[in-house]
Amino acid sequence: MFLMLRKSYDYDVLIAGGGFAGSFLAYKLASESFRVALFEYKKNQDFLGNKACGGLSSQKVIDFLKEMDIDVENVVDESFKHITIFDERFNELSRIRLDLVHINREKLGQEILQRLKEVGVGVFTCKKVENLVLENSYVSGFMLSDEKVQRGLVTIDATGFNATLRKRLTGYLPETEISLNDLIVGGVDEIPNTSDFETPTIILSNTLAPGGYCWITPLERKTIIGLGLTPLPDGVSLSDRLVYLRRILRIKQRPARRLYGVLPIRRPLSSSVFNGFMVLGDAASHGNPVFEGGIYGALYVAKVASNVLIETLNSSDNPPSTNDLWEFNIRFMRDRGWMLAMLDALRIFVQKFSPKNLYLFASALPERMSFDLNTILHVSLALLTNILKPRIFWSLVDIARYTAIVQDLYLNYPHNPEKIFEWTNRVNAIFDKIKKKKITI
């Protein structure tokens, strides 16, 4: 099989999508003198901005921003030490200590855009990627909406939930589709005034957000309110729900801006690599919007990808094969993927709770709680076995048993691609059982 060498390609790495994952990866690779091009459909002034998931994230994002020489004080609006959880009648259920920051996405977007240009990344905005270029079972680039073809030794899909390129690899990747039940559909209103809330707040309400939650982020000059539903019920209008949320919060001002979005909330896709190709961030369900925030998850996975790509591209001028890139899957699944998978299993079980037991669960959360996923998982399981009534003991045993099986599968992720389809089938079979399992809660 004939493959072109590096000098025959326009770039070493082509990146579709200028979100946090794509931008951080581009910066790290260009800093190591690789030829990198990033294509983003948004305009320069909207780079990284205008996203419904907002800017609240773990304080750990600051370390990643410092790696890009970002002026942190300029892009962090506010810091918080707690979040508060209420029921739908605004009774406080718990107050949890967490170190959080709210990122100004617009300011950060402009700073990152400048840093990318400084290290030599070719940034092309207002460019929509539409299709893969697949030759001899290798991805060798992509085609833009104007039918121009860009070629790269490695092609990255960081296009977010749309996963424009990943979906073109059906039959090559073990998973390319995400179920509607594994998505959260969200809407956000930005209100140009302050609120009575002092901390970021979550409201658990089956009336307002069945299967999801509402949130309030109070900032110095504005208040951000939002809700997410999973999945979006038939006949439900997000716009009407946001109006109702403003009403019960006694907010009379109309929003200065309203945003909508869709995010995956499931476990990571079983493989993120193929010959000459890698998929990152929301396009591969690499993050979790509730725990540590989407920004941190995107930056984390981009750091893992950059380390693997630097090692791989420095070792050969040939396009990397699936085997060459497999180390990314192994590192991510064993470091973080297994925790996200366990959270997915817990999420499916918790969505079956009655409102009463959901409130009981939330009220028993400890005041001091790390934003580390491993800690959260252990706390959650401990709560499940201690706060609820003895009559549901065997249901809790089932929850613990299934999450332990999920953990074991991910910690024993395949060493090479040969058994990935078999492994994927085993994982999907377990999650099918979890979704069908009836629990007495």
Side-chain angles (χ1 to χ4, degrees):
M1 179 175 60
F2 174 74
L3 294 174
M4 296 186 295
L5 295 177
R6 178 175 302 189
K7 63 182 180 180
S8 303
Y9 290 87
D10 302 319
Y11 301 97
D12 296 321
V13 181
L14 278 176
I15 301 174
F20 285 99
S23 295
F24 188 82
L25 178 63
Y27 180 87
K28 298 299 287 185
L29 294 175
S31 297
E32 296 292 327
S33 300
F34 292 107
R35 300 171 301 155
V36 182
L38 184 150
F39 291 79
E40 167 59 44
Y41 78 92
K42 293 179 181 176
K43 300 175 182 178
N44 276 6
Q45 59 266 33
D46 294 330
F47 201 79
L48 281 182
N50 297 329
K51 194 168 182 180
C53 61
L56 196 64
S57 189
S58 164
Q59 195 174 37
K60 292 191 287 185
V61 301
I62 290 176
D63 292 334
F64 288 103
L65 299 182
K66 288 180 178 178
E67 286 191 45
M68 300 182 74
D69 199 26
I70 297 295
D71 181 359
V72 173
E73 291 186 3
N74 182 50
V75 301
V76 173
D77 286 330
E78 293 187 41
S79 299
F80 300 97
K81 295 295 184 182
H82 294 89
I83 65 168
T84 308
I85 303 177
F86 288 94
D87 66 17
E88 61 185 1
R89 295 180 180 272
F90 289 92
N91 298 307
E92 183 174 317
L93 299 174
S94 59
R95 185 178 175 89
I96 302 169
R97 182 174 177 81
L98 288 172
D99 292 322
L100 303 169
V101 292
H102 188 272
I103 300 295
N104 187 311
R105 296 179 68 103
E106 287 77 12
K107 288 183 179 180
L108 179 56
Q110 295 311 300
E111 282 217 28
I112 287 181
L113 195 57
Q114 183 61 35
R115 297 296 176 273
L116 292 177
K117 293 177 179 178
E118 288 173 357
V119 295
V121 176
V123 179
F124 301 90
T125 53
C126 299
K127 297 290 185 180
K128 187 176 181 181
V129 175
E130 287 206 343
N131 208 346
L132 282 174
V133 177
L134 195 61
E135 300 170 325
N136 299 317
S137 296
Y138 271 71
V139 175
S140 59
F142 49 62
M143 181 182 293
L144 303 174
S145 57
D146 59 10
E147 298 188 352
K148 290 183 179 179
V149 172
Q150 304 291 328
R151 295 188 179 274
L153 204 65
V154 182
T155 300
I156 309 294
D157 184 353
T159 56
F161 158 73
N162 289 324
T164 306
L165 302 180
R166 182 201 77 208
K167 293 176 181 177
R168 304 288 183 177
L169 288 174
T170 301
Y172 295 97
L173 292 173
E175 291 182 297
T176 55
E177 299 296 330
I178 293 178
S179 166
L180 292 176
N181 292 320
D182 292 328
L183 301 173
I184 186 166
V185 182
V188 168
D189 277 352
E190 292 187 2
I191 314 296
N193 68 357
T194 57
S195 74
D196 295 331
F197 292 89
E198 297 179 351
T199 66
T201 298
I202 291 175
I203 303 171
L204 302 177
S205 170
N206 277 334
T207 303
L208 269 173
Y213 53 92
C214 307
W215 67 88
I216 300 107
T217 304
L219 302 175
E220 183 178 356
R221 296 182 180 178
K222 63 183 177 181
T223 300
I224 300 173
I225 67 170
L227 54 84
L229 300 90
T230 173
L232 184 65
D234 292 337
V236 170
S237 165
L238 276 178
S239 177
D240 290 346
R241 293 294 172 103
L242 285 168
V243 170
Y244 183 52
L245 178 58
R246 293 207 314 273
R247 187 179 303 154
I248 65 173
L249 293 174
R250 298 179 181 177
I251 296 174
K252 295 181 179 180
Q253 278 186 279
R254 295 180 65 83
R257 181 167 65 168
R258 174 170 289 175
L259 301 169
Y260 298 103
V262 180
L263 289 172
I265 53 170
R266 54 156 276 166
R267 62 201 177 279
L269 295 182
S270 56
S271 175
S272 301
V273 303
F274 181 62
N275 297 327
F277 178 82
M278 187 177 286
V279 53
L280 298 177
D282 286 343
S285 195
H286 282 149
N288 187 302
V290 177
F291 297 103
E292 295 190 311
I295 296 175
Y296 176 79
L299 294 171
Y300 178 93
V301 74
K303 180 67 176 288
V304 177
S306 69
N307 291 338
V308 171
L309 285 170
I310 290 168
E311 295 167 11
T312 303
L313 295 174
N314 278 332
S315 66
S316 174
D317 284 336
N318 292 313
S321 67
T322 302
N323 277 297
D324 296 329
L325 298 173
W326 198 253
E327 182 63 23
F328 167 80
N329 281 343
I330 294 174
R331 292 184 191 179
F332 181 79
M333 291 301 196
R334 294 181 182 177
D335 289 348
R336 181 176 169 86
W338 70 271
M339 290 186 280
L340 294 175
M342 287 185 70
L343 280 173
D344 190 18
L346 285 171
R347 185 241 334 162
I348 295 168
F349 280 121
V350 169
Q351 285 179 334
K352 300 176 184 181
F353 282 18
S354 67
K356 180 180 178 181
N357 278 322
L358 180 61
Y359 296 156
L360 186 61
F361 175 80
S363 65
L365 292 170
E367 180 182 358
R368 289 187 173 273
M369 193 167 175
S370 167
F371 222 154
D372 174 75
L373 290 176
N374 195 22
T375 301
I376 291 170
L377 289 167
H378 282 88
V379 168
S380 298
L381 287 172
L383 289 170
L384 285 173
T385 56
N386 285 300
I387 68 173
L388 302 176
K389 297 179 180 179
R391 67 185 177 83
I392 62 170
F393 173 78
W394 292 111
S395 291
L396 298 176
V397 169
D398 279 339
I399 294 174
R401 180 169 64 88
Y402 279 114
T403 52
I405 292 171
V406 169
Q407 179 186 31
D408 184 65
L409 278 169
Y410 277 78
L411 291 179
N412 289 282
Y413 187 80
H415 291 280
N416 56 60
E418 293 179 4
K419 295 185 177 180
I420 188 58
F421 281 86
E422 176 188 339
W423 183 87
T424 302
N425 289 337
R426 291 173 62 196
V427 170
N428 288 340
I430 290 296
F431 274 89
D432 285 343
K433 289 181 179 179
I434 292 172
K435 291 174 180 178
K436 294 175 182 177
K437 185 69 180 177
K438 294 181 179 181
I439 57 175
T440 313
I441 293 180

